[in-house]
Amino acid sequence: MKRMEDKIVEQGELRSWDELIPDALGLIFSNLSLQEILTVIPRVCKSWGRAVSGPYCWQEIDIEEWSRRSNSEQLDRMLQMLITRSSGSLRKLCITGLSNDTTFTFIADNAGSLQSLRLPRSEIGDSIVEQVAAKLSNITVLDVSSCSKIGARGLESFGKNCKSLVELRRAMHPLEVADKVCQDDEAHAIASTMPKLKHLEIAYLLLSTTAVCEILSNCRELEFLDVRGCWGVKLDENFFQENYPNLKVLGPLIVDCYERNYWEYCSDYSDSSGYLAWELMEDAIEVSTNGSWDEPHGLEELELRFYEGFDDPVAAIDWPPSP
């Protein structure tokens, strides 16, 4: 971590960092890594320790990269600690691989101000979504990509309770839908309960053209639609230009992509949208020139290690000192 100066200039006067109000410190600390906020900042001084122990740093919690390598117990402990610190002020939560209903219920019970929820590859199902969705009514952005246990019932429950939902990500891996025949019921759930959607990603769902048209007919504010890999969907370019001139569409066709320098030259293109049709979204699948499916290359991720016998959850995280 770059060394912070001891003094700042404010209205022509020198003031100590520890004299800043906690919410100002929280805004500054939010630009640091999770590791630094939890292990370095609290050791600097008492006022900084108080700032990171309070809600000021935790209105937006993004531990998606870290949670890829953590086990379920570590993820549960981290979420309980950080969400408790947010004291009900949490606005954005990004995680992956949530494995149990208990923690999802904890999130819903303690995040009444939550507006953006991203939980791809999670194991929660329709039943728990139906039970707690009413507590997540302020959500406007939702990502349930690769959540194979969530289906039409869960989507419908989210839609009925999250009246202001404007962005939904529901992209799947082809192998995750291999045992399904049709997912038009999911499209119907989206169309009937999410009329304010502006951004919709439903890549690789097994949908019919009729199902997609139902979404278009009911979600009149839609500006972006991703139907890549929805092989049963047939889109007419002239129809879209005439009826949905402001709608950007990706797919449904996927053209082979030649990998060079980690995706730099992907050139998949949708004539009907004018958009680059193969974006580097985390749930995207590479279609290589030999026809095989490969997982996308990931960046180096942060790993936390917890040990038993510590009363302080932060102290139980074994990280090296910041450089």
Side-chain angles (χ1 to χ4, degrees):
M1 180 182 68
K2 183 179 179 181
R3 181 179 179 83
M4 292 183 176
E5 298 178 355
D6 294 330
K7 303 287 184 179
I8 62 172
V9 178
E10 182 177 329
Q11 297 179 349
E13 298 181 0
L14 289 175
R15 298 188 60 184
S16 300
W17 276 96
D18 58 6
E19 294 178 9
L20 286 175
I21 57 177
D23 55 348
L25 285 173
L27 183 62
I28 295 171
F29 296 157
S30 65
N31 294 294
L32 302 176
S33 69
L34 177 68
Q35 173 185 348
E36 290 171 327
I37 295 176
L38 291 180
T39 64
V40 179
I41 294 300
R43 300 174 182 175
V44 175
C45 63
K46 291 182 179 180
S47 65
W48 286 22
R50 287 192 297 268
V52 297
S53 296
Y56 313 104
C57 292
W58 311 113
Q59 294 180 359
E60 296 188 1
I61 299 175
D62 186 346
I63 55 173
E64 188 168 350
E65 290 298 319
W66 169 77
S67 59
R68 294 177 190 274
R69 289 190 176 181
S70 66
N71 60 43
S72 60
E73 181 181 355
Q74 292 170 341
L75 178 57
D76 293 344
R77 291 173 61 187
M78 179 65 80
L79 284 173
Q80 290 177 13
M81 178 181 70
L82 298 185
I83 292 175
T84 299
R85 287 188 178 189
S86 71
S87 300
S89 65
L90 181 63
R91 297 192 303 262
K92 179 180 179 180
L93 177 63
C94 303
I95 56 177
T96 188
L98 187 66
S99 63
N100 64 77
D101 294 351
T102 301
T103 301
F104 185 57
T105 301
F106 177 83
I107 293 171
D109 288 341
N110 294 275
S113 300
L114 193 62
Q115 298 173 2
S116 178
L117 177 61
R118 290 173 50 88
L119 34 78
R121 303 181 185 88
S122 294
E123 295 296 318
I124 59 174
D126 288 338
S127 296
I128 190 62
V129 171
E130 291 173 328
Q131 293 176 37
V132 307
K135 300 178 182 179
L136 300 169
S137 58
N138 290 319
I139 288 180
T140 60
V141 176
L142 176 66
D143 186 348
V144 287
S145 297
S146 294
C147 294
S148 57
K149 294 183 179 180
I150 291 180
R153 286 169 45 207
L155 292 176
E156 182 179 10
S157 187
F158 274 126
K160 287 182 176 180
N161 290 281
C162 306
K163 301 292 187 180
S164 300
L165 197 64
V166 296
E167 179 175 327
L168 174 66
R169 299 182 180 183
R170 178 59 176 160
M172 304 295 287
H173 189 293
L175 295 179
E176 293 166 342
V177 298
D179 61 340
K180 300 183 182 296
V181 177
C182 181
Q183 293 172 284
D184 281 0
D185 57 342
E186 293 194 18
H188 176 71
I190 293 170
S192 61
T193 65
M194 305 177 187
K196 295 184 179 181
L197 281 182
K198 294 183 178 180
H199 182 112
L200 177 60
E201 298 178 15
I202 45 178
Y204 293 99
L205 291 189
L206 301 178
L207 303 176
S208 66
T209 303
T210 301
V212 173
C213 289
E214 182 183 4
I215 292 175
L216 296 176
S217 297
N218 289 276
C219 304
R220 303 298 298 182
E221 300 180 31
L222 203 59
E223 298 173 355
F224 178 89
L225 176 63
D226 182 356
V227 289
R228 289 173 295 176
C230 299
W231 312 118
V233 177
K234 308 299 180 185
L235 302 181
D236 183 87
E237 180 178 353
N238 293 329
F239 172 78
F240 275 92
Q241 290 178 348
E242 180 179 350
N243 295 278
Y244 305 96
N246 298 319
L247 178 61
K248 308 299 181 182
V249 181
L250 297 187
L253 297 180
I254 299 294
V255 180
D256 285 358
C257 167
Y258 178 74
E259 179 185 355
R260 183 183 300 168
N261 293 330
Y262 298 103
W263 306 77
E264 281 186 350
Y265 296 97
C266 287
S267 58
D268 200 12
Y269 184 80
S270 171
D271 290 333
S272 64
S273 68
Y275 258 56
L276 186 67
W278 192 266
E279 297 178 328
L280 299 184
M281 55 181 273
E282 64 200 8
D283 297 299
I285 308 301
E286 177 191 356
V287 185
S288 62
T289 53
N290 61 12
S292 62
W293 296 100
D294 297 314
E295 292 292 342
H297 295 276
L299 300 176
E300 183 178 357
E301 297 159 346
L302 186 64
E303 181 177 7
L304 308 184
R305 293 183 295 279
F306 290 83
Y307 292 93
E308 298 297 333
F310 290 92
D311 294 327
D312 183 359
V314 176
I317 303 172
D318 180 24
W319 271 318
S322 178

